[in-house]
Amino acid sequence: MNAAPVPREVHAELKGVTRIYPAVPGAGAKLPVHALGPIDLDLVRGEFFAVVGPSGCGKSTFLEVLAGLQKPTAGSVSFEGKPVGGHVPEGIGVVFQEDASFPWLTVWHNVAFGLRRNGVAAAEVRRRVEDAIAFMGLKDFAGAYPSQLSGGMRQRVCIARTLVLQPRLILLDEPFGALDAQTRLLMGDEVLRLWRRTGATVLLITHALDEAAMLADRIGAMSARPGRFIEIIATGWPRDRDSTIVGEAAFGEITGRLWERLRSESLKALGHSGVSAMAAE
Amino acid sequence: MTATRRAADTLILLVGLVVLWEILHRIAGETAMPAPLSTFAYLVHNLATPRFIANLTTTGLELGYALLLAYGIGLAVGVWLGAHRLSGAVGEPILVSLYSLPKITLYPVVLLIFGLGISGKVAFGALHGVLPVALLTTGAIRAIPPVYLRAARTLQLSPWQTITTVLLPAALPEVFTGLRIGFTVTLLGVLLGEMFASKEGLGAMIINALQLAQGEEMMTVAIVLFAFAALANGLLLFVEHRLRRI
Amino acid sequence: MAIMTRIGLIRLVVIAALIGALELACRTGLIDHRIIIAPSEMASALWTLLASGSLDADIARTLGLIGLVTALSIVLGFAAGIAIHALPRLREALDPFFATYYAVPVFIFYPVLIAIFGLSLMPIVLIGVATAIVAMIIATLNGLDRVPRVLDKVARVHRLGRIATALQLQLPAAAPYLFTGIKLAVSYGFIAVIAAEFILSPAGLGRDIADAYADFNNRRMYALILFLLIVATLINAVLHGLDMRFAARRSGGRA
């Protein structure tokens, strides 16, 4: 079923990336917090990579370091061969967990936001915005304001706003965390469609094992803080897939294996000390 | 550490205000703006005089009566509009627009109805205070989650028990905010009343002092009023925070 | 929608009934005309007064003062708010002042200002700005506080500079709070100017009301009161309408 193996080209590279938040006496942080790493990871161009892990394990920190929103305390990040650090390079798009649609702009102007600033010609802006709006199924809502839309629709607006800039690496930080389970499945299909059409590399952060198992080519299971990859699982799904694969036997195997690796980590995150005793019961 | 630094910063600002006052005094001259030091000396010497105490008592009495009226009427109207849905929907916007009107324009009407004595100033003070008390009480009652009522029913509480053990405690913090704001604007109403066509009270004292060019007395009254209002507000805020379990 | 209009209708009937009752009570002599005159008489007196043109100068003066006070408070309050927001330590020190500012009767300083500046426009402008500006400062601080943190990240993903971030993201995100500040500044400015004119001023509508009261000229006094209440209601209605228009597209259902 699979196409001939494509040449592996490293798109983004993390080497020994570590993030330690310094202590801030007086602001409640008496001790430095070791949030992440060290992490070594190569993202292959065009792949769909998912990161799962217990809450508070440093997943979002990982994404922000990769995006250039935070500098790593140690180690290095590079994107398309150039070092990343302190600022977001051109070609990376980020969709956040929080609703980041602009309530003062219509859907159309929300999506056009990044383009209008970059000096793209008006006709080209219109073409790309309308394309992105149609692709995300927002055609009937182009003139609406975000407050008139559901949470899922608002997140589509944010995805469309990223999409128009034609990023080559798309980072998704639990974008469906606030949505109900059925909507999440459908949004998963949207993301798969987007990934296939743009050919971009996609990195998805999620706490939902099934979401990762359904969407990704490779899944990185992250430990409790400090976040490290304890296992990277290749799913072996065909590129042309959708949410119906949740019925397949392999899907159950993958989620089962992920949970096996992550159960004790999740208990740690919950603050259980007697993890091994609990696991033995 | 940070709390003491913050207090120190606030203190520095207070000192800065006094310095600003001194500078204003140097610019404006002795009669228009007395020096801080001479004002404080005046304050110490005159605070206990019968004249000052008489005026203070008048203002205090007026404020007391006005508060009684504002709280009584405001709470009653607020409970009514909060508990009765149609009355609330009809009445609340009327109260809101009345609240945003400059009530000073109505003072002559109050004077014509109640006369120039103490009752006119009491009525004017109450007119200021009644609206925020009513509006916040309405909001407080309407904001009680309906699930509380259902919970009360499952616990087989009587209507009276429901009011005293569920509704009142649930609405109290917000109602108290209304009482605090009501206090502030009632005081303002009473003082405005005293500043116009009145011979008694702290407001009248300030206008008198202006006409007699007694800068120290003006500043003294202002300081006393500021201190009283700030203290009362601090006290009410303290109680409010306790009610809100902050 | 049908519910809304029904309640609006009831409200209209209630208001009309109240005015009608007052009219009736005045006409039948239940209320002495030396105390309150009939609403219809107030309206006709106002009409005559406005038609005579004798009020024009005072209207221009008072409304001009209110406009000036409001504009100064909004512009200076906004600038001060931005500056204070940028200086956290100053802000912490100022917080207790802001918390008590509207609890103390600042207006009591009006006579002090007259003592310093004389009976001119200056004391009215100063007391008006002193009353209104703090609301604008507090609203600006509130607005800047409530700008969602994620917008900061969005700005960096879009590689916006400081000024572009401020103008294109922070300002619109804070706008609802700024508008609240503007509404309060207008309202406080109005009240302070009228109160100052009423208590002590060489001219203006507030002074006119005080004079008419002193002269027992009830027709003129009630006409002026009616005029000010109409103006205040109109201003409030316009601000409320703008508020509704913003709120309709922005607030619905956002956490």
Side-chain angles (χ1 to χ4, degrees):
Chain A
M1 277 295 275
N2 265 337
V6 277
R8 278 173 58 96
E9 181 199 341
V10 174
H11 199 193
E13 186 179 27
L14 295 94
K15 272 200 192 132
V17 166
T18 307
R19 184 76 175 94
I20 297 168
Y21 292 104
V24 188
K30 290 202 176 65
L31 296 169
V33 175
H34 185 180
L36 189 72
I39 281 180
D40 294 286
L41 181 72
D42 289 348
L43 286 178
V44 179
R45 186 184 283 274
E47 79 168 323
F48 196 130
F49 193 95
V51 178
V52 279
S55 49
C57 73
K59 300 188 293 278
S60 290
T61 304
F62 169 74
L63 177 134
E64 293 196 359
V65 169
L66 175 54
L69 285 164
Q70 289 188 30
K71 271 187 186 165
T73 314
S76 67
V77 182
S78 70
F79 170 63
E80 297 180 345
K82 287 182 216 107
V84 175
H87 59 87
V88 184
E90 186 273 335
I92 292 186
V94 186
V95 178
F96 295 98
Q97 178 177 12
E98 305 98 317
D99 172 18
S101 60
F102 304 140
W104 58 90
L105 296 177
T106 61
V107 167
W108 203 96
H109 286 100
N110 256 291
V111 175
F113 180 81
L115 284 179
R116 311 237 283 186
R117 294 191 49 266
N118 288 349
V120 182
E124 173 71 0
V125 169
R126 200 173 317 124
R127 193 189 63 71
R128 272 159 74 172
V129 168
E130 266 151 29
D131 184 53
I133 283 179
F135 186 75
M136 292 311 294
L138 293 163
K139 216 168 187 168
D140 295 338
F141 305 96
Y145 285 93
S147 64
Q148 297 164 302
L149 305 178
S150 67
M153 294 296 257
R154 288 209 282 267
Q155 204 54 280
R156 281 169 198 244
V157 173
C158 292
I159 295 174
R161 193 170 71 198
T162 305
L163 183 61
V164 283
L165 297 170
Q166 300 173 340
R168 300 181 295 282
L169 173 59
I170 302 174
L171 308 178
L172 306 163
D173 187 3
E174 299 203 29
F176 317 133
L179 307 180
D180 65 77
Q182 285 88 333
T183 311
R184 262 175 37 202
L185 281 178
L186 295 177
M187 290 297 285
D189 282 336
E190 304 273 339
V191 170
L192 282 174
R193 252 182 351 111
L194 181 148
W195 167 64
R196 274 195 297 271
R197 196 181 92 153
T198 59
T201 312
V202 172
L203 180 120
L204 171 78
I205 304 280
T206 179
H207 61 261
L209 306 180
D210 53 345
E211 204 168 276
M214 161 186 145
L215 295 174
D217 295 321
R218 289 197 297 160
I219 303 165
M222 201 174 259
S223 65
R225 206 165 64 200
R228 294 187 182 94
F229 287 121
I230 43 179
E231 185 170 3
I232 292 177
I233 299 170
T235 59
W237 298 123
R239 190 171 171 84
D240 190 17
R241 58 183 179 256
D242 61 30
S243 57
T244 53
I245 58 173
V246 297
E248 288 187 24
F251 178 79
E253 275 164 35
I254 294 165
T255 37
R257 189 151 145 227
L258 279 172
W259 181 232
E260 201 178 298
R261 294 314 309 261
L262 287 171
R263 184 167 183 269
S264 63
E265 297 299 329
S266 300
L267 284 169
K268 267 188 229 163
L270 274 177
H272 284 275
S273 45
V275 176
S276 47
M278 291 273 303
E281 276 180 40
Chain B
M1 258 318 267
T2 47
T4 46
R5 202 201 69 187
R6 210 176 302 164
D9 284 355
T10 304
L11 212 67
I12 291 170
L13 268 177
L14 262 173
V15 172
L17 274 178
V18 176
V19 170
L20 193 77
W21 179 359
E22 179 70 32
I23 293 170
L24 259 174
H25 156 70
R26 298 269 164 95
I27 296 171
E30 187 58 43
T31 44
M33 192 76 189
L37 214 62
S38 61
T39 304
F40 284 117
Y42 187 90
L43 189 145
V44 171
H45 281 115
N46 286 271
L47 211 54
T49 58
R51 187 177 60 93
F52 214 104
I53 288 174
N55 284 310
L56 205 70
T57 315
T58 306
T59 303
L61 266 180
E62 288 165 354
L63 178 64
Y65 286 134
L67 281 176
L68 224 58
L69 275 173
Y71 285 178
I73 299 171
L75 286 173
V77 171
V79 168
W80 173 36
L81 295 187
H84 190 249
R85 197 192 268 243
L86 181 65
S87 307
V90 171
E92 200 187 2
I94 299 179
L95 290 193
V96 169
S97 45
L98 286 180
Y99 186 42
S100 52
L101 287 179
K103 274 156 284 292
I104 188 80
T105 49
L106 296 175
Y107 191 43
V109 184
V110 172
L111 285 181
L112 285 175
I113 297 173
F114 294 95
L116 279 170
I118 185 170
S119 49
K121 287 170 268 178
V122 168
F124 193 53
L127 181 68
H128 276 76
V130 74
L131 291 166
V133 173
L135 281 171
L136 278 148
T137 306
T138 302
I141 290 178
R142 210 176 287 155
I144 296 174
V147 68
Y148 287 10
L149 278 175
R150 273 180 274 144
R153 278 195 1 228
T154 58
L155 294 168
Q156 271 100 43
L157 299 187
S158 72
W160 178 247
Q161 284 173 317
T162 307
I163 290 174
T164 54
T165 62
V166 178
L167 297 187
L168 216 61
L172 199 59
E174 184 84 7
V175 171
F176 201 84
T177 306
L179 299 185
R180 180 172 57 82
I181 296 171
F183 178 90
T184 296
V185 294
T186 305
L187 175 64
L188 181 67
V190 166
L191 289 174
L192 283 175
E194 287 178 348
M195 288 171 86
F196 182 81
S198 172
K199 293 193 168 49
E200 290 174 307
L202 295 176
M205 256 181 110
I206 276 210
I207 296 290
N208 264 331
L210 171 68
Q211 275 148 2
L212 300 172
Q214 284 179 328
E216 278 112 344
E217 177 145 319
M218 271 200 290
M219 289 305 288
T220 297
V221 176
I223 288 170
V224 167
L225 278 171
F226 274 28
F228 168 69
L231 216 68
N233 187 61
L235 208 69
L236 292 170
L237 261 178
F238 175 75
V239 177
E240 198 177 312
H241 283 193
R242 292 299 288 272
L243 287 173
R244 285 183 195 278
R245 315 275 196 282
I246 297 176
Chain C
M1 208 52 214
I3 293 271
M4 281 294 294
T5 49
R6 190 175 72 96
I7 285 168
L9 201 72
I10 298 175
R11 192 179 304 132
L12 220 62
V13 169
V14 168
I15 294 170
L18 286 175
I19 295 173
L22 182 64
E23 178 84 28
L24 205 70
C26 291
R27 293 276 171 196
T28 55
L30 202 68
I31 295 177
D32 194 328
H33 71 273
R34 280 168 301 183
I35 293 178
I36 301 177
I37 65 172
S40 61
E41 228 183 308
M42 295 179 197
S44 78
L46 174 59
W47 183 252
T48 325
L49 202 58
L50 285 177
S52 75
S54 63
L55 222 51
D56 293 358
D58 275 334
I59 291 177
R61 178 192 155 105
T62 298
L63 295 187
L65 268 175
I66 293 169
L68 178 68
V69 161
T70 308
L72 280 175
S73 303
I74 291 170
V75 173
L76 298 178
F78 179 62
I82 288 178
I84 294 168
H85 189 81
L87 302 166
R89 191 158 167 194
L90 174 66
R91 185 188 176 170
E92 282 188 358
L94 279 171
D95 268 338
F97 287 92
F98 290 148
T100 36
Y101 193 78
Y102 284 103
V104 297
V106 174
F107 188 79
I108 208 81
F109 259 124
Y110 179 54
V112 178
L113 290 172
I114 295 178
I116 298 174
F117 296 100
L119 208 50
S120 62
L121 290 177
M122 198 59 166
I124 299 184
V125 172
L126 285 180
I127 199 69
V129 171
T131 312
I133 194 171
V134 175
M136 190 65 202
I137 296 175
I138 294 172
T140 306
L141 289 173
N142 254 335
L144 294 176
D145 283 348
R146 304 285 159 82
V147 174
R149 292 278 301 272
V150 68
L151 286 192
D152 197 51
K153 293 186 210 163
V154 172
R156 293 178 55 199
V157 169
H158 285 271
R159 294 183 297 285
L160 299 185
R162 270 191 73 116
I163 294 171
T165 306
L167 289 181
Q168 294 180 29
L169 296 183
Q170 287 173 321
L171 189 67
Y177 297 90
L178 298 182
F179 189 72
T180 304
I182 291 173
K183 269 197 329 194
L184 286 174
V186 173
S187 169
Y188 284 137
F190 196 108
I191 291 171
V193 167
I194 300 291
E197 285 186 347
F198 182 76
I199 284 168
L200 205 54
S201 156
L205 291 172
R207 167 69 187 263
D208 285 343
I209 293 180
D211 282 348
Y213 167 77
D215 298 341
F216 304 104
N217 189 344
N218 269 7
R219 273 180 66 83
R220 185 178 167 85
M221 187 185 89
Y222 276 108
L224 288 162
I225 291 175
L226 183 63
F227 178 74
L228 279 182
L229 293 186
I230 289 172
V231 171
T233 308
L234 279 180
I235 292 174
N236 286 333
V238 168
L239 291 173
H240 183 71
L242 287 174
D243 207 5
M244 287 288 113
R245 262 180 63 179
F246 289 142
R249 65 156 106 136
R250 302 199 32 161
S251 63
R254 289 179 72 92

